[in-house]
Amino acid sequence: MTQERWTAVDEYVSGLLAPYDDALDAALRASDEAGLPAIQVSPPQGKLLQLLALALGARTILEFGTLGGYSTIWLGRALPDDGRLITLEASPEYAEVARGSIERAGLGDVVDLRVGPALDTLPLLDAESAGPFDLTFIDADKVNTPNYFAWALEHSRPGGLIVADNVVRGGALADANSDDPTIPAQRRFHEMLAAEPRVSATTIQTVGIKGYDGFTIALVLS
Ligand code: SAH
Ligand code: DHB
Ligand code: MG
């Protein structure tokens, strides 16, 4: 199977189940025009995040890694009018682009975008007694996935979900001696999940327009 085939299937699925949408399309164009990397979730993955949030009846969402706000819009649309999505982005330039796209999507009142490295922002969220969160999406700097997971676990409601993107990286997850510096962090994340009685988790490998990767879903039990 080839990348071409994976892309064709993603396009087929997107066309029917995640079809053209003004605000999402405008967000991608704004990202592209501003020179942001095109590393946002694929449309079917964005739809999955939205479905998970809807299935949970989520009212509070935490996102690590906003980029241009594409996944933020998918998730934000699952929230009720009085819901809250806090999204953390290290880059002020990316955050500026995201802010415009989130506003254009009509989610300005629901989305709370915090600029700065997430590990610096988290103590501020603690000081505000932010959370508990129904759903957390971890998609920022991959070396910190274990740190973000640890914080998210302490700030999740029982029955909530923690989703982490980019955990498989072309299969490198299985390699104890990977050259990819993010892989030891993803392996440590999996070891944390295995040892943590408060969650039950699995990882699903994916192929699609973004190549071969995968995501983890952890259900917070208590
Ligand atoms: N969730 C987005 C994609 C995020 S890409 C989507 O699917 O649409 C990863 C993002 O994490 C980038 O925008 C990058 O700037 C941001 N990032 C990198 N290091 C970070 C950090 N320490 N804290 C917060 N965000 C960070
Ligand atoms: C890449 C992909 C992602 O989904 C992400 O969040 C960050 C980087 C990448 O392919 O480089
Ligand atoms: Mg990602």
Side-chain angles (χ1 to χ4, degrees):
M1 285 300 139
T2 62
Q3 177 61 56
E4 204 181 329
R5 197 77 178 149
W6 302 341
T7 299
V9 172
D10 252 354
E11 284 171 353
Y12 173 77
V13 172
S14 303
L16 289 171
L17 305 180
Y20 177 86
D21 177 282
D22 273 335
L24 287 169
D25 195 62
L28 292 182
R29 264 186 290 115
S31 277
D32 191 48
E33 280 162 20
L36 274 56
I39 54 175
Q40 66 281 341
V41 293
S42 69
Q45 289 168 342
K47 180 79 176 275
L48 173 65
L49 292 171
Q50 184 174 85
L51 293 175
L52 292 173
L54 287 169
L56 285 169
R59 307 182 65 83
T60 53
I61 296 175
L62 174 63
E63 177 178 67
F64 292 85
T66 318
L67 189 67
Y70 183 76
S71 55
T72 314
I73 294 170
W74 276 107
L75 284 166
R77 284 175 168 174
L79 287 170
D81 289 344
D82 62 346
R84 199 29 102 255
L85 188 165
I86 299 178
T87 183
L88 313 180
E89 174 52 51
S91 158
E93 292 78 19
Y94 295 4
E96 196 54 36
V97 175
R99 230 182 268 289
S101 294
I102 290 162
E103 201 66 49
R104 238 187 335 266
L107 293 168
D109 291 340
V110 167
V111 175
D112 179 357
L113 171 52
R114 306 292 179 97
V115 183
L119 288 177
D120 294 347
T121 308
L122 292 178
L124 305 176
L125 295 183
D126 261 325
E128 296 167 20
S129 303
F133 297 97
D134 299 312
L135 174 63
T136 299
F137 180 44
I138 301 176
D139 194 24
D141 48 328
K142 312 307 169 189
V143 292
N144 276 314
T145 295
N147 296 325
Y148 300 153
F149 168 72
W151 197 92
L153 180 57
E154 299 304 325
H155 297 79
S156 293
R157 71 150 162 98
L161 291 178
I162 301 170
V163 180
D165 194 22
N166 311 113
V167 303
V168 174
R169 294 303 225 181
L173 183 63
D175 185 355
N177 303 302
S178 174
D179 292 337
D180 180 340
T182 72
I183 288 303
Q186 299 313 322
R187 291 173 63 90
R188 192 152 68 79
F189 172 48
H190 280 75
E191 287 151 21
M192 287 168 77
L193 292 167
E196 176 54 70
R198 290 175 292 169
V199 302
S200 182
T202 194
T203 291
I204 296 298
Q205 305 181 70
T206 56
V207 294
I209 57 174
K210 297 183 72 181
Y212 169 30
D213 209 326
F215 58 85
T216 298
I217 300 184
L219 173 66
V220 179
L221 303 171
S222 62

